Amino acid sequence: MAVAPAPALSLSAAAGGGSLLFRQLFDADTGTFTYLLADVPSRKGVIIDSVFEQHGRDLSLIRELGIDLVASIDTHAHADHVTGSWLMHEATGCAIGLAAAARAENVTLPLAHGDRIDFGGRALEVRATPGHTDGCITFVLDDHSMAFTGDALLVRGCGRCDFQQGNAHTLWNSITGQILSLPERCLLYPGHDYTGRGVTSVAEEKAFNARLGGDASERDFVGHMENMKLPHPHKIAEALPGNMRSGKPREAAAAPAWAPLARSYAGLPELTPAWVVAHQSDLTVLDVRSAEEFNGPDGRVAGSLLIPLPELESRSSEIPTGRPLVVVCHSGSRSALATQQLLKAGRSQVANLRGGLSRWAAEGYPLDGAKQA
């Protein structure tokens, strides 16, 4: 008799026992922060400032946590990276949110000052904060405990004002009127940082921001911003057109070469038991457990090839080369290591069985030699 599937992950536990789950993610190539928030009771969430190249990572986290994504939203039309909003919309059906002032295509949730983005029992307030671009907005959590400022306000800095309709006077008014007017305890999460600074606060920026904190006046701020002489972002030629399409590729992505691979948050290519069962005649199933386990009461996938993990490197020539390879063990742990080894060795069509033989049995698929419960 098959074992019942494991219960869903406790989102409350993942959120540290609180009612709001919060994750800060980072793209090292562009210094971009992406933020995931979810209301624990409803499991509904939003993602802020996603990055096209990090879509697989972000989607894996959303799926592993069991979050029902309401919207993928951006603080502005970025000049240094392409948003992942279109890809997230295609994968989850979520709304694509951006300031209406940006006039981008494919936006399903045009945003303006004073709008509210609900996700379950929580919400983000939209505040217009132009000056870096006309379409910059800041997202403020409903209890004013945190705000996501994009490029309008950075840690001890702010966004530039020398292109994309930038204006230093406008940015001064946006920051002082809409961001630094929040409670001093409010934590501020920037769109970028290049030196490892991931969060600041209203109190800190009012005191220490070199461009507008302390005793700085609007005249001081404008004088600073108009004399920075910065080079343009190196990805601007691809980023701006891409973001005016909300990240929709010019051409449809190619279908997976051999299987509907899903990458785990750890970055590992995985396949479900259901897909493997349906396509087993076209695959090699490689079992990397010990011989004792292979022949033991847990059973084995019919027709699978046994090469214990410690012997994998020395016996790799025994693995057929003309067929895709799915690697299995009891839980998916040892097979994950074997999958990594095979990928590094040059095998391209290889994936781990998600959840291992334990999940295989829990979903009711047969195992040769398995002892009946």
Side-chain angles (χ1 to χ4, degrees):
M1 181 177 177
V3 179
L9 171 81
S10 166
L11 198 60
S12 175
S19 62
L20 180 76
L21 179 132
F22 171 68
R23 294 288 184 269
Q24 182 182 55
L25 305 163
F26 186 64
D27 177 60
D29 185 47
T30 61
T32 302
F33 287 117
T34 296
Y35 302 98
L36 177 66
L37 293 88
D39 172 55
V40 167
S42 67
R43 304 188 86 96
K44 294 187 179 297
V46 294
I47 191 167
I48 301 171
D49 287 343
S50 60
V51 175
F52 187 94
E53 290 81 4
Q54 298 291 354
H55 171 70
R57 175 201 67 183
D58 299 346
L59 182 61
S60 294
L61 179 59
I62 289 165
R63 286 177 170 167
E64 287 184 5
L65 296 177
I67 293 171
D68 177 12
L69 198 67
V70 171
S72 177
I73 55 181
D74 281 279
T75 53
H76 62 296
H78 310 277
D80 46 19
H81 73 275
V82 177
T83 178
S85 281
W86 173 264
L87 297 180
M88 199 62 74
H89 166 74
E90 286 286 277
T92 69
C94 70
I96 296 174
L98 184 70
R103 300 181 181 86
E105 299 173 359
N106 304 309
V107 173
T108 63
L109 184 65
L111 299 170
H113 184 78
D115 285 349
R116 176 185 170 101
I117 303 169
D118 293 305
F119 55 106
R122 304 304 300 267
L124 291 171
E125 170 196 344
V126 177
R127 294 194 177 193
T129 48
H132 171 59
T133 76
D134 274 355
C136 281
I137 50 182
T138 290
F139 301 112
V140 182
L141 193 62
D142 44 25
D143 62 1
H144 289 188
S145 63
M146 56 176 66
F148 303 89
T149 59
D151 287 9
L153 183 65
L154 305 174
V155 179
R156 305 300 191 266
C158 63
R160 60 197 294 173
C161 302
D162 57 338
F163 69 99
Q164 277 189 284
Q165 313 91 37
N167 182 282
H169 292 283
T170 302
L171 186 57
W172 167 271
N173 290 328
S174 293
I175 294 172
T176 57
Q178 298 298 331
I179 300 175
L180 298 186
S181 60
L182 289 163
E184 291 200 338
R185 61 175 174 81
C186 181
L187 299 178
L188 305 177
Y189 292 91
H192 296 278
D193 196 83
Y194 306 97
T195 61
R197 300 170 300 187
V199 62
T200 183
S201 65
V202 169
E204 289 173 75
E205 296 310 310
K206 286 171 73 172
F208 304 122
N209 191 298
R211 301 179 188 181
L212 46 82
D215 295 325
S217 65
E218 182 176 353
R219 182 181 60 209
D220 297 322
F221 177 75
V222 172
H224 181 116
M225 299 304 296
E226 291 183 348
N227 288 279
M228 293 181 68
K229 296 182 172 59
L230 296 171
H232 276 198
H234 73 281
K235 288 192 173 184
I236 188 171
E238 60 181 285
L240 284 180
N243 287 321
M244 293 309 291
R245 301 189 303 272
S246 298
K248 182 179 181 179
R250 289 190 182 277
E251 299 178 359
W258 66 278
L261 298 175
R263 292 197 175 266
S264 70
Y265 191 47
L268 197 69
E270 294 182 328
L271 289 168
T272 63
W275 189 90
V276 175
V277 168
H279 298 83
Q280 192 172 343
S281 61
D282 301 318
L283 307 169
T284 295
V285 177
L286 174 65
D287 195 316
V288 296
R289 295 175 298 163
S290 68
E292 291 77 14
E293 291 173 281
F294 186 80
N295 295 306
D298 288 342
R300 57 194 173 274
V301 174
S304 55
L305 171 66
L306 172 65
I307 300 180
L309 180 58
E311 303 171 22
L312 182 60
E313 186 174 359
S314 63
R315 296 176 57 189
S316 61
S317 61
E318 299 177 27
I319 304 172
T321 56
R323 294 153 60 93
L325 186 63
V326 177
V327 192
V328 305
C329 70
H330 175 257
S331 68
S333 175
R334 284 170 288 175
S335 55
L337 182 58
T339 300
Q340 291 173 329
Q341 289 182 9
L342 290 161
L343 287 168
K344 288 180 180 178
R347 291 289 299 242
S348 58
Q349 294 187 339
V350 57
N352 192 35
L353 178 68
R354 184 183 302 166
L357 298 181
S358 176
R359 176 169 174 174
W360 180 288
E363 294 185 3
Y365 299 113
L367 289 168
D368 283 0
K371 184 178 179 180
Q372 298 298 311

